[in-house]
Amino acid sequence: MEVRGSGLRRVLVLAFCVAGIWSAYIYQGVLQETLSTKRFGPDGERFEHLAFLNLAQNVVCLIWSYIMIKMWSNGESGGAPWLSYWSAGITNTIGPAMGIEALKYISYPAQVLAKSSKMIPVMLMGTMVYGIRYSFPEYLCTFLVAGGVSTFALLKTSSKTISKLAHPNAPLGYGLCFLNLAFDGFTNATQDSLKARYPKTSAWTIMLGMNLWGTIYNMIYMFGWPHGSGFEAVHFCRQHPEAAWDIFLYCCCGAVGQNFIFLTISRFGSLANTTITTTRKFASIVISSLLSGNPLSTKQWGCVFMVFSGLSYQIYLKWQKLQRLQKKRKST
C-alpha cells in the first residue's frame, strides 16, 4: 500500500508540474502575442517597445528569486560570486530581446517554431568547431526540425496574420530568432560552467544572479539617456493601463513558470522537463492558431508536425541514452 501511495503521489506531483508549466507559459505566450499585435486606445496605438518586457521580467524574477532564497535557503555558502554572472547576463539580455523583437516581423507560431530549433546551432557548432560526430538518428532529428522550420518560412503566410504584424519582414524575424538561439547557447554553456565550478550554487541563486545583471543592463539600455525607449514605454503604460496590466501578468507567468520548471527538474529530471516544455510549445501554436486568429494552411501544419516529430524523436533518443546509463550503473 505504501508503494502504491508513493507512486500515486509521484503521478499527482507530475500532473501538477505539467499543469503549472503549461498554464503559465501558454498564458504568457497569449499575453506576449497580445502585446505585440494589439492596438490600444481610440487611436489604435501599438506597443512598440517589446524589449521593455524583458526588463520588467528581469525585475519581477529578481524579486521573486530573492524571496525564494530567503524562504527556502538554509544559509549555505559556496555559491558562485555575483560578478561571475556578468558575461552570461549580457547574452541573456540580448538574446531574449531579439526573440521578442522578432514578433514585430513574424507571427507568434512562426517565432515559437523557429525557437524550437535550438539543436541546429548546437550541432553545427559541434561539427564545425569541435569536430564532434553525431549519430544518424541525431542528424535525422536535425533534418526534420531544420526542414520543417525552413519550409514553414518559405510558405506564404495568410493576409490576416500579416495584417496584425507591426512591420512584416520574414527574413529579419527569423534571423532575430536564430541569433536569439545562438546567444541562448552561450548563456546555457556559461550557466553549466558556473554550476560545475560552484556545485553549491542553487537554481534560485543562478536565477537571482542572471536577473540582477539583466536588470542592470536593461536599465542602462532603456533609461541610460534622456530619450531612452524605457521612458516611452512607461509613458505608453500610463496612457494605456490595460497594457501595463498585461505586462505585469506576463512577468508573473514567467516567475511562476520558473518555479514549476525547478520543481520538475528536481523531482523528475531534465528529460521530463524537456518533454513537458516541448509539448507546451506545440500547444501554444495550436492555441494561437485557434484563439488568436493566426490561421495555418495544411502545408504549414505539416511543417509544424515535422518539427515536433524531430523534437519528439530527440527526446526518445535521450531517454534511450538515460536507460543505458542506468543499466551500466546497476551492472557495476
Side-chain angles (χ1 to χ4, degrees):
M1 289 296 291
E2 287 183 10
V3 174
R4 283 186 180 180
S6 62
L8 179 61
R9 280 196 298 271
R10 188 171 171 82
V11 170
L12 290 174
V13 171
L14 179 61
F16 180 62
C17 291
V18 172
I21 291 172
W22 273 48
S23 57
Y25 286 110
I26 287 175
Y27 187 47
Q28 188 183 48
V30 170
L31 292 167
Q32 188 182 59
E33 187 171 8
T34 299
L35 286 162
S36 64
T37 59
K38 184 178 177 179
R39 294 183 180 273
F40 295 89
D43 297 329
E45 292 182 90
R46 288 182 182 271
F47 183 69
E48 293 279 356
H49 314 289
L50 295 179
F52 184 74
L53 293 178
N54 290 325
L55 171 59
Q57 181 83 89
N58 285 146
V59 173
V60 170
C61 286
L62 177 66
I63 296 169
W64 184 275
S65 55
Y66 180 78
I67 293 171
M68 290 297 105
I69 288 171
K70 289 297 180 183
M71 285 177 61
W72 303 107
S73 176
N74 53 11
E76 287 185 359
S77 58
W82 300 119
L83 278 174
S84 61
Y85 295 97
W86 74 269
S87 59
I90 293 175
T91 54
N92 196 46
T93 300
I94 299 172
M98 287 180 167
I100 204 164
E101 281 290 318
L103 288 172
K104 292 181 181 179
Y105 311 106
I106 56 175
S107 67
Y108 179 72
Q111 185 230 36
V112 172
L113 208 62
K115 290 176 69 176
S116 298
S117 57
K118 188 177 287 187
M119 67 173 76
I120 297 173
V122 170
M123 288 186 71
L124 281 175
M125 289 292 288
T127 303
M128 297 170 66
V129 179
Y130 299 106
I132 299 172
R133 290 188 177 183
Y134 298 93
S135 65
F136 174 76
E138 288 174 317
Y139 282 118
L140 180 60
C141 291
T142 307
F143 172 76
L144 287 169
V145 174
V149 172
S150 57
T151 307
F152 188 96
L154 292 171
L155 291 172
K156 185 178 179 182
T157 306
S158 70
S159 56
K160 186 177 180 181
T161 300
I162 291 174
S163 65
K164 291 184 176 184
L165 302 176
H167 312 287
N169 188 329
L172 180 56
Y174 283 106
L176 287 171
C177 286
F178 291 126
L179 284 172
N180 179 10
L181 292 178
F183 280 109
D184 280 355
F186 180 84
T187 301
N188 294 337
T190 306
Q191 287 178 339
D192 291 342
S193 173
L194 287 172
K195 187 71 177 174
R197 279 187 290 160
Y198 305 97
K200 292 184 179 180
T201 304
S202 68
W204 292 118
T205 305
I206 292 174
M207 187 176 176
L208 181 68
M210 297 295 291
N211 284 288
L212 172 65
W213 284 101
T215 300
I216 293 169
Y217 294 140
N218 274 309
M219 286 291 288
I220 293 170
Y221 168 67
M222 304 204 79
F223 295 97
W225 48 84
H227 300 289
S229 58
F231 296 107
E232 295 176 10
V234 171
H235 178 69
F236 186 95
C237 289
R238 285 178 177 172
Q239 285 188 316
H240 307 286
E242 65 269 33
W245 179 244
D246 284 346
I247 292 171
F248 175 71
L249 290 177
Y250 171 87
C251 297
C252 289
C253 285
V256 171
Q258 284 293 322
N259 249 8
F260 282 105
I261 283 177
F262 292 157
L263 176 62
T264 303
I265 293 173
S266 64
R267 293 292 185 92
F268 305 100
S270 58
L271 185 60
N273 180 64
T274 302
T275 306
I276 295 167
T277 53
T278 299
T279 51
R280 189 277 305 170
K281 289 175 183 177
F282 181 77
S284 292
I285 292 176
V286 174
I287 288 171
S288 176
S289 177
L290 296 177
L291 299 184
S292 302
N294 288 319
L296 299 181
S297 66
T298 305
K299 290 180 180 178
Q300 285 177 317
W301 276 116
C303 294
V304 171
F305 281 110
M306 190 174 174
V307 169
F308 283 95
S309 295
L311 294 175
S312 300
Y313 190 33
Q314 184 193 38
I315 291 169
Y316 173 70
L317 292 174
K318 287 181 178 178
W319 177 80
Q320 280 190 322
K321 188 176 181 181
L322 189 64
Q323 292 294 105
R324 286 196 295 268
L325 286 172
Q326 288 176 346
K327 284 181 181 179
K328 281 184 180 180
R329 286 172 186 169
K330 286 180 181 179
S331 62
T332 55

